[in-house]
Amino acid sequence: MTAILQTHLPDDMRMARALPGIQPERGHWLRVDEAYAAQMARREVLLAEQPADVLYLDPEARPAAEELLGSVLECLPALDFEVSEERAICPDGRCIALDRAAPLETLGRLCQNDFVLMEQREDEHVLTGAVLCFPASWRLSEKAGRPLTDIHVPVAEYTGDVARRVQRLFDGIQVGRPLWRFNQLWYEDPELFQPRSQFEPRRVGAGLRNGPYYRTERQTLLRLPQSRAVVFAIHTYVLAGADVPPLD
């Protein structure tokens, strides 16, 4: 399979930060970059051939998923999409029917981003829906319906203190004030679909610059005004190691 790579990173993704590394999103929370056409072609294949691996929606989360689709559609014209009531013409020329009965699948066919819905259930936020075509070493089926702290259990750096800080952060996310963070990973191959069971050994390196491909996710967090769900919008970048600039 041909590698799908970006050639550069946004300037604000070149400085590592301690977990959880959250900061205000100053620019547009949705982005289109030079890998859009190729990434979308890969997403179309995954959505068609492996829907059970990349889509999940708790029936009670449908209002939040529909609200998210509506919010994204309002943003798309600023990103060179042509949007009508029934369809959207994408920057790569594809014409996508706006199937509001399948909001997450429709989002997965429109945007480079993956989207994860987290909704308040008693004292924690729970993963209630997702379109996740480009997982970075986790499996949607193992995380669906689970609370935030359980989702991060296999991550060594995700201590109890960090978990409490992240839960407080989720509680405090305000409508119209998105936040973002990014991670840094190295892989042996550039494949975007990298699921991994929590019971399997990690396939990424333990530190920086020890693999041929650098992978980083821009993870934007925002709150939907009606459902009050928190959304992770995940934009994945993969660069050849030789193209990665010095990281501050």
Side-chain angles (χ1 to χ4, degrees):
M1 183 179 295
T2 302
I4 300 172
L5 304 175
Q6 280 94 344
T7 58
H8 63 280
L9 295 172
D11 290 340
D12 57 4
M13 292 179 66
R14 292 178 52 184
M15 180 177 293
R17 295 173 180 266
L19 284 174
I22 301 291
Q23 53 194 307
E25 177 62 270
R26 304 296 185 187
H28 204 296
W29 68 274
L30 284 175
R31 294 163 184 247
V32 171
D33 64 37
E34 73 273 20
Y36 178 84
Q39 284 197 355
M40 297 311 299
R42 182 69 179 119
R43 296 177 73 85
E44 290 278 16
V45 170
L46 290 164
L47 288 163
E49 297 182 357
Q50 297 176 246
D53 294 326
V54 300
L55 289 168
Y56 167 74
L57 183 60
D58 181 327
E60 294 184 6
R62 176 167 292 278
E66 293 173 350
E67 183 182 6
L68 174 59
L69 175 59
S71 296
V72 169
L73 291 176
E74 291 177 359
C75 297
L76 293 185
L79 300 173
D80 294 327
F81 289 75
E82 297 179 21
V83 180
S84 67
E85 185 64 26
E86 297 181 350
R87 67 178 187 173
I89 299 176
C90 304
D92 60 357
R94 289 173 305 121
C95 182
I96 303 299
L98 301 182
D99 185 355
R100 290 173 173 79
L104 294 179
E105 181 177 358
T106 301
L107 284 166
R109 300 186 66 206
L110 289 169
C111 299
Q112 282 178 270
N113 294 73
D114 284 317
F115 296 95
V116 177
L117 287 170
M118 305 292 296
E119 293 187 87
Q120 188 87 33
R121 297 286 189 268
E122 298 181 354
D123 295 333
E124 289 196 275
H125 283 79
V126 172
L127 196 162
T128 59
V131 52
L132 185 74
C133 292
F134 301 156
S137 296
W138 61 290
R139 196 178 297 277
L140 179 57
S141 61
E142 294 180 353
K143 308 299 184 182
R146 294 177 61 182
L148 187 64
T149 49
D150 285 354
I151 288 172
H152 289 93
V153 163
V155 181
E157 297 87 351
Y158 201 85
T159 63
D161 179 62
V162 172
R164 287 188 290 272
R165 288 164 57 196
V166 171
Q167 183 58 53
R168 288 197 298 270
L169 170 71
F170 267 57
D171 293 340
I173 293 174
Q174 299 180 40
V175 174
R177 296 185 179 182
L179 306 171
W180 75 281
R181 67 176 298 274
F182 71 100
N183 56 16
Q184 300 181 79
L185 303 168
W186 289 86
Y187 278 77
E188 294 297 321
D189 69 82
E191 170 57 45
L192 288 158
F193 181 64
Q194 293 271 6
R196 180 188 64 85
S197 172
Q198 61 183 309
F199 304 107
E200 297 173 0
R202 295 186 67 83
R203 290 176 292 175
V204 299
L208 295 182
R209 288 210 175 275
N210 60 349
Y213 296 98
Y214 175 76
R215 177 169 176 149
T216 178
E217 299 172 327
R218 189 182 189 96
Q219 303 171 350
T220 301
L221 298 89
L222 62 148
R223 187 177 298 280
L224 298 175
Q226 301 302 317
S227 65
R228 305 295 295 174
V230 173
V231 179
F232 267 108
I234 306 168
H235 190 120
T236 299
Y237 298 81
V238 181
L239 282 74
D243 292 335
V244 179
L247 302 174
D248 300 327

